[in-house]
């Protein structure tokens, strides 16, 4: 008998919000993800990117663009989002004892358990020591906790394989391990393209680390793990450092504006990044429902009755709608 596993809870589930609260898709503002609401402008895509299988030289150009953007000399494997790497990670080692710094993005523990690992979710960095495989999301989703590269390098000495998910690190490059010289060979770095560049639909991410480790991932991912149009767009976006810098400034200003609105509503900041903010309110479920009736979709968590996470509005009209809704809190 085949047993189907229910999908894990995520943001971006706007269809579920519509089913409960009605409204057409265009009526809604989706604040349930940490995706940049002002995406990189799509450049002209060569017709060949659609018609031909991606060639080695195009993949190599993408890898070089990522290497320059992330300031690294490490090996890189392009994949179908950071999620593509998360699905592969459990098979890089024989299943054993895994420890995940939690609470965090639930796909890490879910993918490991699905591959036969014994997973313990740990509240502190020190508690990860001794694991066959450890996972740290840095900066963390949803509370924004972050750890300096030296602390993670020290942790790597105490575990078999350390996976550091840097999906939200683009606005804070000082947190990244990518530029670390002599990075321990048992550290694997994951990066997401779609979140910061606002193009999650491209399904592009990168696994970065020692050549042997990345070679294993490349082999497991199979041929053509990334679509031709994604390669074409990302190659240009990653090289656009002016857009990157301006976007970092805009995101910092927007996240500060969101904090002010939340404070006016009586919420307390838990943490976050410049792409999303998590707050404590008296009743997260009731608050999500009230905002949903105004067709504003947010993210709450099964492990906390108070935490609610909001991404950033993308237009001034969206900011005004959110401001009006929070004023009624």
């Amino acid at each position: 008998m085949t047993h189907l596993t229910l999908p894990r809870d995520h943001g971006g589930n706007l269809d579920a919000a519509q089913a409960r609260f009605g409204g057409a898709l265009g009526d809604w503002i989706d604040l349930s993800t940490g995706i940049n609401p002002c995406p990189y402008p799509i450049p002209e895509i060569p017709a060949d990117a659609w018609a031909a299988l991606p060639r080695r030289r195009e993949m190599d150009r993408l890898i070089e663009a990522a290497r320059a953007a992330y300031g690294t000399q490490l090996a890189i494997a392009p994949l179908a989002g950071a999620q593509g790497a998360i699905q592969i990670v459990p098979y890089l080692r024989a299943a054993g004892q895994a420890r995940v710094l939690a609470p965090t993005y639930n796909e890490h523990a879910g993918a490991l358990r699905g591959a036969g690992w014994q997973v313990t979710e740990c509240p502190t960095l020190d508690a990860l020591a001794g694991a066959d495989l450890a996972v740290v999301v840095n900066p963390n989703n949803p509370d924004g906790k972050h750890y300096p590269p030296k602390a993670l390098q020290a942790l790597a000495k105490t575990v078999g394989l350390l996976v550091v998910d840097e999906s939200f690190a683009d606005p804070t490059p000082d947190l990244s391990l990518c530029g670390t010289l002599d990075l321990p060979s048992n550290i694997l770095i994951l990066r997401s393209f779609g979140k910061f560049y606002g193009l999650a639909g491209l399904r592009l991410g990168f696994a970065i680390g020692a050549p042997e480790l990345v070679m294993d991932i490349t082999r497991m991912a199979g041929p053509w793990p990334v679509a031709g149009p994604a390669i074409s767009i990302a190659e240009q976006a990653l090289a656009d450092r002016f857009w990157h810098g301006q976007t970092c400034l805009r995101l910092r200003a927007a996240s500060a504006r969101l904090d002010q609105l939340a404070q006016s509503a009586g919420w307390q900041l838990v943490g976050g990044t410049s792409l999303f903010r998590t707050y404590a309110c008296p009743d997260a479920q009731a608050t999500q429902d009230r905002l949903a009736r105004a067709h504003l979709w947010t993210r709450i968590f099964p492990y906390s009755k108070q935490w609610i996470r909001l991404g950033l509005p993308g237009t001034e009209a969206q900011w005004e709608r959110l401001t009006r809704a929070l004023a009624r809190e």
Side-chain angles (χ1 to χ4, degrees):
M1 179 182 294
T2 300
H3 296 278
L4 297 179
T5 301
L6 292 175
R8 286 176 279 275
D9 182 47
H10 295 293
N13 55 337
L14 195 54
D15 50 354
Q18 286 182 269
R20 287 184 59 199
F21 297 97
L25 183 62
D27 298 332
W28 284 85
I29 301 173
D30 188 0
L31 304 175
S32 69
T33 75
I35 299 167
N36 182 352
C38 301
Y40 186 81
I42 301 293
E44 183 177 352
I45 301 171
D48 193 49
W50 298 99
L53 290 170
R55 288 174 281 263
R56 183 68 255 174
R57 64 175 179 269
E58 284 129 16
M59 190 72 80
D60 288 344
R61 287 201 306 266
L62 173 62
I63 289 171
E64 288 308 311
R67 185 169 283 128
Y70 299 142
T72 188
Q73 293 302 311
L74 297 165
I76 299 179
L79 298 159
Q83 186 65 42
I86 291 170
Q87 299 301 127
I88 290 174
V89 161
Y91 303 99
L92 293 172
R93 299 285 190 275
Q97 298 292 325
R99 296 177 185 171
V100 178
L101 189 61
T104 195
Y105 181 57
N106 61 27
E107 285 292 334
H108 287 287
L112 288 161
R113 288 191 179 105
W117 287 79
Q118 297 297 312
V119 180
T120 302
E121 298 186 26
C122 301
T124 66
L125 203 65
D126 290 344
L128 301 177
D132 299 311
L133 187 154
V135 178
V136 177
V137 179
N138 192 43
N140 190 43
N141 172 20
D143 59 16
K145 287 183 180 178
H146 52 273
Y147 304 90
K150 287 185 178 180
L152 298 176
Q153 291 179 76
L155 174 63
K157 297 177 181 178
T158 71
V159 302
L161 175 65
L162 175 59
V163 178
V164 181
D165 185 342
E166 295 184 353
S167 288
F168 288 100
D170 288 77
T172 51
D174 289 348
L175 288 180
S176 178
L177 285 163
C178 286
T180 303
L181 298 176
D182 300 320
L183 187 78
S185 61
N186 67 328
I187 293 181
L188 180 67
I189 304 164
L190 310 186
R191 297 295 293 242
S192 167
F193 173 83
K195 294 179 176 63
F196 178 77
Y197 289 91
L199 297 170
L202 287 187
R203 308 309 308 133
L204 177 62
F206 303 94
I208 303 171
E212 297 80 6
L213 194 56
V214 171
M215 188 178 300
D216 286 342
I217 292 172
T218 300
R219 175 177 54 81
M220 293 181 189
W224 318 300
V226 179
I231 294 172
S232 178
I233 294 168
E235 183 184 348
Q236 296 185 57
L238 288 165
D240 194 337
R241 305 313 292 166
F242 177 78
W243 186 90
H244 183 283
Q246 292 299 110
T247 297
C248 287
L249 293 173
R250 179 182 57 77
L251 292 174
R252 283 198 290 271
S255 59
R257 181 178 181 180
L258 188 58
D259 285 348
Q260 291 178 341
L261 287 180
Q263 183 179 14
S264 298
W267 299 356
Q268 300 298 315
L269 178 66
V270 173
T273 72
S274 60
L275 283 163
F276 64 84
R277 311 299 280 170
T278 299
Y279 306 101
C281 62
D283 186 332
Q285 181 68 70
T287 299
Q288 184 189 53
D289 289 351
R290 284 195 294 273
L291 292 175
R293 284 190 282 273
H295 291 157
L296 299 164
W297 192 230
T298 57
R299 177 83 162 92
I300 60 175
F301 304 92
Y303 48 78
S304 174
K305 294 183 179 180
Q306 286 79 44
W307 286 12
I308 186 167
R309 192 191 70 192
L310 278 70
L312 304 174
T315 66
E316 193 59 35
Q318 291 182 351
W319 279 104
E320 290 173 2
R321 279 182 58 185
L322 179 60
T323 299
R324 291 194 298 270
L326 291 183
R328 295 192 289 270
E329 276 293 299

